[in-house]
PDB file of all heavy atoms in Angstrom:
ATOM      1  N   ALA A  20      69.726 173.365 116.947  1.00 94.00           N
ATOM      2  CA  ALA A  20      69.724 172.129 117.731  1.00 94.00           C
ATOM      3  C   ALA A  20      69.299 170.945 116.879  1.00 94.00           C
ATOM      4  O   ALA A  20      69.917 169.872 116.925  1.00 94.00           O
ATOM      5  CB  ALA A  20      68.797 172.274 118.938  1.00 94.00           C
ATOM      6  N   LEU A  21      68.256 171.127 116.094  1.00 95.00           N
ATOM      7  CA  LEU A  21      67.776 170.049 115.236  1.00 95.00           C
ATOM      8  C   LEU A  21      68.781 169.749 114.129  1.00 95.00           C
ATOM      9  O   LEU A  21      69.058 168.575 113.833  1.00 95.00           O
ATOM     10  CB  LEU A  21      66.417 170.428 114.637  1.00 95.00           C
ATOM     11  CG  LEU A  21      65.734 169.390 113.738  1.00 95.00           C
ATOM     12  CD1 LEU A  21      65.662 168.032 114.425  1.00 95.00           C
ATOM     13  CD2 LEU A  21      64.333 169.872 113.348  1.00 95.00           C
ATOM     14  N   THR A  22      69.360 170.789 113.561  1.00 94.00           N
ATOM     15  CA  THR A  22      70.364 170.595 112.508  1.00 94.00           C
ATOM     16  C   THR A  22      71.577 169.853 113.036  1.00 94.00           C
ATOM     17  O   THR A  22      72.071 168.911 112.401  1.00 94.00           O
ATOM     18  CB  THR A  22      70.807 171.963 111.938  1.00 94.00           C
ATOM     19  OG1 THR A  22      69.670 172.643 111.391  1.00 94.00           O
ATOM     20  CG2 THR A  22      71.848 171.785 110.849  1.00 94.00           C
ATOM     21  N   ASP A  23      72.061 170.250 114.201  1.00 95.00           N
ATOM     22  CA  ASP A  23      73.247 169.608 114.781  1.00 95.00           C
ATOM     23  C   ASP A  23      72.989 168.135 115.080  1.00 95.00           C
ATOM     24  O   ASP A  23      73.856 167.283 114.853  1.00 95.00           O
ATOM     25  CB  ASP A  23      73.673 170.336 116.061  1.00 95.00           C
ATOM     26  CG  ASP A  23      74.273 171.707 115.781  1.00 95.00           C
ATOM     27  OD1 ASP A  23      74.598 171.978 114.612  1.00 95.00           O
ATOM     28  OD2 ASP A  23      74.404 172.493 116.739  1.00 95.00           O
ATOM     29  N   TYR A  24      71.804 167.836 115.607  1.00 96.00           N
ATOM     30  CA  TYR A  24      71.493 166.450 115.944  1.00 96.00           C
ATOM     31  C   TYR A  24      71.407 165.597 114.683  1.00 96.00           C
ATOM     32  O   TYR A  24      71.953 164.474 114.633  1.00 96.00           O
ATOM     33  CB  TYR A  24      70.179 166.375 116.719  1.00 96.00           C
ATOM     34  CG  TYR A  24      69.996 165.065 117.448  1.00 96.00           C
ATOM     35  CD1 TYR A  24      70.617 164.828 118.669  1.00 96.00           C
ATOM     36  CD2 TYR A  24      69.200 164.056 116.910  1.00 96.00           C
ATOM     37  CE1 TYR A  24      70.458 163.627 119.337  1.00 96.00           C
ATOM     38  CE2 TYR A  24      69.032 162.842 117.574  1.00 96.00           C
ATOM     39  CZ  TYR A  24      69.657 162.636 118.790  1.00 96.00           C
ATOM     40  OH  TYR A  24      69.507 161.433 119.439  1.00 96.00           O
ATOM     41  N   LEU A  25      70.727 166.115 113.670  1.00 95.00           N
ATOM     42  CA  LEU A  25      70.654 165.394 112.402  1.00 95.00           C
ATOM     43  C   LEU A  25      72.051 165.170 111.818  1.00 95.00           C
ATOM     44  O   LEU A  25      72.388 164.068 111.383  1.00 95.00           O
ATOM     45  CB  LEU A  25      69.789 166.169 111.399  1.00 95.00           C
ATOM     46  CG  LEU A  25      68.275 166.091 111.570  1.00 95.00           C
ATOM     47  CD1 LEU A  25      67.597 167.041 110.588  1.00 95.00           C
ATOM     48  CD2 LEU A  25      67.757 164.677 111.350  1.00 95.00           C
ATOM     49  N   ASN A  26      72.849 166.213 111.814  1.00 96.00           N
ATOM     50  CA  ASN A  26      74.187 166.108 111.211  1.00 96.00           C
ATOM     51  C   ASN A  26      75.079 165.133 111.962  1.00 96.00           C
ATOM     52  O   ASN A  26      75.902 164.432 111.351  1.00 96.00           O
ATOM     53  CB  ASN A  26      74.850 167.483 111.143  1.00 96.00           C
ATOM     54  CG  ASN A  26      74.283 168.345 110.020  1.00 96.00           C
ATOM     55  OD1 ASN A  26      73.634 167.840 109.107  1.00 96.00           O
ATOM     56  ND2 ASN A  26      74.534 169.639 110.089  1.00 96.00           N
ATOM     57  N   THR A  27      74.921 165.079 113.278  1.00 97.00           N
ATOM     58  CA  THR A  27      75.710 164.120 114.053  1.00 97.00           C
ATOM     59  C   THR A  27      75.412 162.696 113.600  1.00 97.00           C
ATOM     60  O   THR A  27      76.325 161.883 113.404  1.00 97.00           O
ATOM     61  CB  THR A  27      75.400 164.257 115.552  1.00 97.00           C
ATOM     62  OG1 THR A  27      75.815 165.552 116.000  1.00 97.00           O
ATOM     63  CG2 THR A  27      76.137 163.198 116.364  1.00 97.00           C
ATOM     64  N   GLN A  28      74.137 162.388 113.408  1.00 97.00           N
ATOM     65  CA  GLN A  28      73.771 161.035 112.970  1.00 97.00           C
ATOM     66  C   GLN A  28      74.204 160.795 111.527  1.00 97.00           C
ATOM     67  O   GLN A  28      74.703 159.700 111.194  1.00 97.00           O
ATOM     68  CB  GLN A  28      72.255 160.820 113.113  1.00 97.00           C
ATOM     69  CG  GLN A  28      71.647 161.239 114.436  1.00 97.00           C
ATOM     70  CD  GLN A  28      72.491 160.915 115.655  1.00 97.00           C
ATOM     71  OE1 GLN A  28      73.077 159.826 115.755  1.00 97.00           O
ATOM     72  NE2 GLN A  28      72.567 161.852 116.600  1.00 97.00           N
ATOM     73  N   LEU A  29      74.041 161.784 110.675  1.00 97.00           N
ATOM     74  CA  LEU A  29      74.450 161.640 109.273  1.00 97.00           C
ATOM     75  C   LEU A  29      75.953 161.399 109.168  1.00 97.00           C
ATOM     76  O   LEU A  29      76.411 160.575 108.364  1.00 97.00           O
ATOM     77  CB  LEU A  29      74.053 162.883 108.483  1.00 97.00           C
ATOM     78  CG  LEU A  29      72.542 163.120 108.330  1.00 97.00           C
ATOM     79  CD1 LEU A  29      72.289 164.495 107.706  1.00 97.00           C
ATOM     80  CD2 LEU A  29      71.898 162.028 107.485  1.00 97.00           C
ATOM     81  N   ASN A  30      76.716 162.106 109.981  1.00 97.00           N
ATOM     82  CA  ASN A  30      78.177 161.913 109.977  1.00 97.00           C
ATOM     83  C   ASN A  30      78.559 160.516 110.444  1.00 97.00           C
ATOM     84  O   ASN A  30      79.480 159.886 109.896  1.00 97.00           O
ATOM     85  CB  ASN A  30      78.853 162.961 110.865  1.00 97.00           C
ATOM     86  CG  ASN A  30      78.806 164.351 110.258  1.00 97.00           C
ATOM     87  OD1 ASN A  30      78.601 164.504 109.054  1.00 97.00           O
ATOM     88  ND2 ASN A  30      78.975 165.361 111.080  1.00 97.00           N
ATOM     89  N   LYS A  31      77.861 160.008 111.457  1.00 98.00           N
ATOM     90  CA  LYS A  31      78.161 158.672 111.961  1.00 98.00           C
ATOM     91  C   LYS A  31      77.784 157.597 110.936  1.00 98.00           C
ATOM     92  O   LYS A  31      78.484 156.582 110.798  1.00 98.00           O
ATOM     93  CB  LYS A  31      77.427 158.432 113.280  1.00 98.00           C
ATOM     94  CG  LYS A  31      78.009 159.231 114.441  1.00 98.00           C
ATOM     95  CD  LYS A  31      77.271 158.954 115.730  1.00 98.00           C
ATOM     96  CE  LYS A  31      77.887 159.739 116.891  1.00 98.00           C
ATOM     97  NZ  LYS A  31      77.160 159.521 118.174  1.00 98.00           N
ATOM     98  N   ILE A  32      76.704 157.821 110.227  1.00 98.00           N
ATOM     99  CA  ILE A  32      76.315 156.857 109.187  1.00 98.00           C
ATOM    100  C   ILE A  32      77.333 156.868 108.054  1.00 98.00           C
ATOM    101  O   ILE A  32      77.731 155.811 107.548  1.00 98.00           O
ATOM    102  CB  ILE A  32      74.898 157.185 108.658  1.00 98.00           C
ATOM    103  CG1 ILE A  32      73.872 156.969 109.768  1.00 98.00           C
ATOM    104  CG2 ILE A  32      74.560 156.310 107.442  1.00 98.00           C
ATOM    105  CD1 ILE A  32      72.483 157.491 109.435  1.00 98.00           C
ATOM    106  N   ALA A  33      77.786 158.059 107.681  1.00 97.00           N
ATOM    107  CA  ALA A  33      78.814 158.155 106.643  1.00 97.00           C
ATOM    108  C   ALA A  33      80.107 157.496 107.097  1.00 97.00           C
ATOM    109  O   ALA A  33      80.777 156.795 106.318  1.00 97.00           O
ATOM    110  CB  ALA A  33      79.063 159.623 106.292  1.00 97.00           C
ATOM    111  N   ALA A  34      80.469 157.695 108.375  1.00 97.00           N
ATOM    112  CA  ALA A  34      81.677 157.054 108.914  1.00 97.00           C
ATOM    113  C   ALA A  34      81.510 155.538 108.935  1.00 97.00           C
ATOM    114  O   ALA A  34      82.460 154.784 108.677  1.00 97.00           O
ATOM    115  CB  ALA A  34      81.962 157.574 110.318  1.00 97.00           C
ATOM    116  N   GLY A  35      80.300 155.083 109.232  1.00 97.00           N
ATOM    117  CA  GLY A  35      80.027 153.656 109.215  1.00 97.00           C
ATOM    118  C   GLY A  35      80.169 153.072 107.822  1.00 97.00           C
ATOM    119  O   GLY A  35      80.733 151.980 107.652  1.00 97.00           O
ATOM    120  N   ASP A  36      79.696 153.788 106.834  1.00 97.00           N
ATOM    121  CA  ASP A  36      79.838 153.351 105.447  1.00 97.00           C
ATOM    122  C   ASP A  36      81.322 153.208 105.089  1.00 97.00           C
ATOM    123  O   ASP A  36      81.747 152.188 104.537  1.00 97.00           O
ATOM    124  CB  ASP A  36      79.158 154.364 104.519  1.00 97.00           C
ATOM    125  CG  ASP A  36      79.373 154.052 103.046  1.00 97.00           C
ATOM    126  OD1 ASP A  36      78.637 153.221 102.503  1.00 97.00           O
ATOM    127  OD2 ASP A  36      80.293 154.650 102.447  1.00 97.00           O
TER     128      ASP A  36
END
Side-chain angles (χ1 to χ4, degrees):
L21 182 51
T22 300
D23 289 346
Y24 197 80
L25 283 174
N26 284 343
T27 296
Q28 312 320 318
L29 294 172
N30 289 341
K31 288 181 179 178
I32 294 170
D36 175 83

